[in-house]
C-alpha cells in the first residue's frame, strides 16, 4: 500500500524490527519469503566472505554454481508483466533481439555490521525531520544529527519522502576510493570511453570521533556524505576534479570544481543539482539520476509516494565483476550485454515522484526502484514533459562482503528516444588491475573535499 502519514514510529511498531525472529529485518525489509516461495526468507545474508577471497582482490562469486531458471524476452514477457517495470517492458519491445532478463534463484545476500542493525532499530523511534521545518518545501529535507545514529534513518518509512531519504543516504560504508571506467554509447553500439576516480567520505556512516575535522564536515548540522570525482581520461578532460558535501540540514550538494585550463577552483552549484547534466555523460544522464535517483537541491521539487512490490531486478552482479571483461564485452546497441546481468525476484520500494506546481524538470515524472533489503537503487524510469517514458536505468548491486555492505558495481542509462546509453558508475575491473576496485579500508584524504585540497589533487 502507498505510504501516507509521517512520524517516528511507536515502540510497539519498532518492535517489529530485529536481527532475528521478528516480522521485519533491522533495515525494515519483510523477513519472510513470499507466498509461492520464489523469494526466500532473509536469514542474515552473506555472513562471511567466500573461501579464497582476500581483501583487495577480485570479488569471488558466491553463487557461481547457480543456473538460469528462465529467461524473459519480448516474446514471453506478457506472462511476467506484473513483476516487470514499465522501463523493462519498453526495453524488451524496443530491443526484442538483444535485451532479455536471465532470471536466477533469489539470494537475499544483503548484510551489514551488527552496529548498523542496532542503530537502525534505534533510529526507528528517534529519527524525525526537523520540526519546525527550515522553510517551505523543506519539510522532509532536514534531520538533526542528535536524533540519528549511523544506519537507516527511517527503517519503517511512513511517507515517500522518508523512503527517498533512506535511499539517498543508504548505508554503503564509511568511505571508499574506486576507479570507474565509463562509456557513452551511440545508437549503433560504438562508444566513447572515459575514466574517473571517485573518493567518498560518509560522515553519516561514522561515529562522531571518526568524522574528519574542519568546517566542510561540520557546518549545516554536519556533512551527511562527501563526494569527489577526478577525471582521468580522455586526455582532453583529464585533471578536472570536483568535491563537495551534502548536509543533514540541507541536501543541496555544496560543490567546488578545479579546472586545469584555468588553474583555479570555483564554486560549482550546477554539479549535482537536479537535472543539470551529469559529469562525463554527454548529456545522457542528469545529476540526480546517479544511483537510480536521489534527492538533491535545497528544496523538494517532487511529491513522492512509495509502495512495496515484487519485481525482477538486477542483483548479485558478481558475474560482471570478474577480471577479463573488456568494454567490447559490455556495450551493445541500446543497452549493455544482457548475458552479463543476473536478475532475481526481490521486493522493492517503488518510489514515484511527480513534479510540484511551480517547478520544472526534464523529467517531471519518475519512478525509482529500491531494494528493500539494502535501500540501494536497482532501476529507475524517467518520463518526459509529455509523460512519455524516456530514460530507463539499471543499477547492478553486489554485497561487498569485506565490509559488509550492498552497493553498485556498475550502472546503465538508456534513452528510449535516441537509442543511446551511458554508464558512469562502474566497471573497475576493465583495467585488469584489482587496485582499481573499490577500497573500503583506507579513508581518502579529507582535503580532496575542500577547495584548497582540489588545487593539490588537480593536474596542472
Amino acid at each position: 500500500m502507498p505510504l501516507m502519514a509521517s512520524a517516528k514510529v511507536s515502540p510497539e511498531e519498532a518492535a517489529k524490527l530485529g536481527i532475528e525472529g521478528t516480522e521485519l529485518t533491522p533495515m525494515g525489509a519483510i523477513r519472510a519469503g513470499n507466498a509461492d516461495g520464489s523469494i526466500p526468507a532473509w536469514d542474515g545474508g552473506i555472513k562471511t566472505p567466500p573461501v579464497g577471497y582476500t581483501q583487495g582482490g577480485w570479488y569471488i562469486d558466491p553463487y557461481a554454481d547457480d543456473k538460469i531458471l528462465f529467461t524473459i524476452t519480448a516474446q514471453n514477457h506478457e506472462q511476467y508483466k506484473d513483476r516487470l517495470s514499465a522501463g523493462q517492458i519498453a526495453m524488451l519491445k524496443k530491443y526484442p533481439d538483444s535485451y532479455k532478463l536471465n532470471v536466477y534463484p533469489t539470494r537475499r545476500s544483503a548484510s551489514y555490521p551488527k552496529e548498523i542493525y542496532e542503530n537502525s532499530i534505534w533510529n526507528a523511534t528517534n529519527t524525525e525531520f526537523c520540526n519546525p521545518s527550515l522553510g517551505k518545501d523543506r519539510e522532509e529535507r532536514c534531520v538533526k544529527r542528535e536524533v540519528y545514529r549511523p544506519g537507516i534513518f527511517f527503517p519503517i518509512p511512513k511517507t515517500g519522502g522518508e523512503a527517498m531519504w533512506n535511499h539517498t543516504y543508504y548505508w554503503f560504508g564509511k568511505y571508499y576510493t574506486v576507479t570507474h571506467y565509463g562509456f557513452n554509447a551511440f545508437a549503433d553500439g560504438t562508444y566513447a570511453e572515459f575514466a574517473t576516480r571517485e573518493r567518498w567520505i560518509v560522515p553519516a556512516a561514522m561515529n562522531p570521533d571518526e568524522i574528519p575535522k574542519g568546517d566542510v564536515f561540520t557546518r549545516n548540522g554536519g556533512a551527511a556524505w562527501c563526494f569527489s570525482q577526478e577525471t582521468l581520461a580522455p586526455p582532453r578532460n583529464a585533471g578536472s576534479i570536483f568535491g563537495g558535501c551534502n548536509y543533514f540540514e540541507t541536501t543541496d550538494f555544496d560543490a567546488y570544481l578545479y579546472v586545469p585550463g584555468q588553474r583555479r577552483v570555483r564554486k560549482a552549484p550546477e554539479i549535482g543539482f537536479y537535472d543539470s547534466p551529469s559529469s562525463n555523460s554527454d548529456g545522457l544522464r542528469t545529476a540526480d539520476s546517479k544511483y537510480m535517483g536521489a534527492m538533491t537541491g535545497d528544496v523538494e521539487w517532487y511529491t513522492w509516494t512509495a509502495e512495496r512490490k515484487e519485481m525482477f531486478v538486477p542483483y548479485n552482479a558478481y558475474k560482471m565483476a570478474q577480471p577479463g571483461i573488456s568494454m567490447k564485452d559490455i556495450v551493445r546497441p541500446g543497452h549493455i550485454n544482457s548475458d552479463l546481468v543476473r536478475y532475481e525476484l526481490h521486493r522493492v520500494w517503488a518510489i514515484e515522484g511527480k513534479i510540484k506546481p511551480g517547478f520544472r524538470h526534464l523529467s517531471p515524472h519518475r519512478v525509482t526502484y529500491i531494494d528493500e533489503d539494502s535501500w540501494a537503487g536497482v532501476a529507475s524510469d524517467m518520463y518526459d514533459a509529455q509523460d512519455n517514458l524516456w530514460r530507463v536505468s539499471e543499477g547492478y548491486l553486489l554485497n561487498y562482503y569485506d565490509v559488509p555492505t550492498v552497493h553498485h558495481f556498475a550502472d546503465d542509462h538508456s534513452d528510449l528516444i535516441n537509442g543511446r546509453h551511458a554508464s558512469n558508475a562502474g566497471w573497475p575491473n576493465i583495467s585488469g588491475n584489482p587496485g582499481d576496485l573499490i577500497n573500503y579500508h583506507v579513508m581518502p584524504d579529507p582535503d580532496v573535499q575542500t577547495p584548497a585540497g582540489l588545487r593539490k589533487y588537480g593536474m596542472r
Side-chain angles (χ1 to χ4, degrees):
M1 295 294 292
L3 305 180
M4 301 298 290
S6 174
K8 56 187 178 182
V9 305
S10 67
E12 292 75 20
E13 192 168 7
K16 296 177 182 178
L17 300 164
I19 298 176
E20 295 180 350
T22 49
E23 177 183 338
L24 302 178
T25 75
M27 317 302 272
I30 297 171
R31 182 183 302 275
N34 64 353
D36 65 11
S38 52
I39 297 176
W42 182 77
D43 64 359
I46 297 177
K47 297 180 176 65
T48 57
V51 174
Y53 172 76
T54 57
Q55 185 178 303
W58 302 106
Y59 283 91
I60 295 172
D61 184 354
Y63 309 120
D65 293 335
D66 285 356
K67 306 300 182 185
I68 296 172
L69 298 176
F70 54 90
T71 298
I72 302 173
T73 67
Q75 290 70 43
N76 69 1
H77 78 275
E78 280 289 328
Q79 69 186 90
Y80 304 105
K81 64 181 180 180
D82 291 343
R83 289 172 165 176
L84 297 172
S85 70
Q88 289 171 327
I89 293 172
M91 291 291 286
L92 287 164
K93 291 180 177 179
K94 186 173 178 66
Y95 302 103
D97 297 325
S98 59
Y99 183 84
K100 60 187 177 183
L101 285 73
N102 289 326
V103 178
Y104 289 78
T106 298
R107 303 285 192 169
R108 294 182 70 178
S109 54
S111 58
Y112 295 87
K114 183 180 180 182
E115 179 185 28
I116 301 308
Y117 292 149
E118 293 172 341
N119 288 348
S120 298
I121 295 169
W122 185 91
N123 289 342
T125 55
N126 290 277
T127 303
E128 59 184 349
F129 290 116
C130 296
N131 188 11
S133 165
L134 298 188
K136 186 178 184 302
D137 296 309
R138 296 186 65 188
E139 291 83 359
E140 294 184 314
R141 287 300 193 96
C142 169
V143 170
K144 296 293 184 183
R145 180 69 195 240
E146 57 266 26
V147 299
Y148 161 82
R149 293 177 181 175
I152 296 301
F153 283 77
F154 306 104
I156 305 179
K158 298 297 184 182
T159 70
E162 289 182 0
M164 182 54 79
W165 184 285
N166 283 350
H167 166 56
T168 300
Y169 298 112
Y170 72 96
W171 199 90
F172 52 84
K174 297 180 179 181
Y175 41 73
Y176 67 80
T177 300
V178 64
T179 302
H180 287 314
Y181 295 87
F183 63 83
N184 296 307
F186 298 94
D188 63 0
T190 59
Y191 53 88
E193 299 181 53
F194 61 89
T196 61
R197 181 166 293 120
E198 292 191 0
R199 300 175 176 93
W200 287 79
I201 297 175
V202 190
M206 299 177 177
N207 294 313
D209 60 341
E210 299 173 308
I211 299 172
K213 309 303 180 186
D215 176 68
V216 70
F217 299 104
T218 58
R219 62 177 180 254
N220 298 324
W225 51 247
C226 300
F227 166 45
S228 173
Q229 185 182 87
E230 176 184 3
T231 298
L232 306 177
R236 66 179 180 278
N237 297 330
S240 66
I241 181 171
F242 69 77
C245 300
N246 276 22
Y247 294 87
F248 274 78
E249 295 181 1
T250 172
T251 48
D252 193 21
F253 187 48
D254 188 12
Y256 293 83
L257 172 69
Y258 174 79
V259 183
Q262 300 173 1
R263 297 192 177 185
R264 69 182 182 91
V265 174
R266 65 172 179 83
K267 192 169 178 60
E270 74 280 3
I271 293 179
F273 185 78
Y274 279 106
D275 55 0
S276 295
S278 186
S279 58
N280 298 301
S281 72
D282 200 21
L284 295 175
R285 288 176 283 105
T286 59
D288 60 2
S289 66
K290 190 174 180 67
Y291 299 135
M292 306 298 104
M295 295 187 304
T296 183
D298 195 44
V299 300
E300 184 55 73
W301 289 13
Y302 287 90
T303 298
W304 299 106
T305 57
E307 60 180 334
R308 203 170 344 215
K309 60 181 293 186
E310 295 180 6
M311 184 170 145
F312 294 108
V313 296
Y315 218 89
N316 290 310
Y318 296 100
K319 182 177 181 179
M320 64 172 59
Q322 300 311 302
I325 292 178
S326 69
M327 201 64 79
K328 290 182 179 179
D329 298 321
I330 297 167
V331 184
R332 297 291 182 269
H335 55 85
I336 72 162
N337 182 353
S338 291
D339 285 325
L340 293 176
V341 188
R342 174 186 176 122
Y343 291 90
E344 300 179 5
L345 184 65
H346 282 260
R347 296 188 191 96
V348 300
W349 287 103
I351 307 176
E352 184 173 27
K354 293 188 175 181
I355 202 75
K356 292 180 177 180
F359 294 100
R360 295 174 63 89
H361 191 286
L362 288 173
S363 182
H365 176 202
R366 60 202 303 174
V367 184
T368 297
Y369 301 95
I370 309 301
D371 168 39
E372 70 160 352
D373 286 331
S374 65
W375 291 99
V378 287
S380 73
D381 297 336
M382 297 177 70
Y383 295 77
D384 65 16
Q386 288 73 46
D387 208 30
N388 297 313
L389 190 57
W390 174 31
R391 288 177 175 172
V392 177
S393 302
E394 292 185 328
Y396 308 115
L397 304 181
L398 54 78
N399 183 327
Y400 292 92
Y401 36 65
D402 51 328
V403 180
T405 188
V406 175
H407 198 30
H408 290 83
F409 178 80
D411 64 9
D412 194 28
H413 304 260
S414 297
D415 189 313
L416 290 168
I417 307 303
N418 63 27
R420 299 186 63 191
H421 66 116
S423 181
N424 175 52
W427 316 108
N429 53 339
I430 288 291
S431 69
N433 175 15
D436 284 343
L437 296 176
I438 196 165
N439 183 342
Y440 279 108
H441 304 285
V442 178
M443 185 167 74
D445 180 356
D447 278 353
V448 77
Q449 310 296 351
T450 68
L454 292 177
R455 295 187 184 93
K456 177 173 67 175
Y457 278 90
M459 292 172 55
R460 298 177 183 276

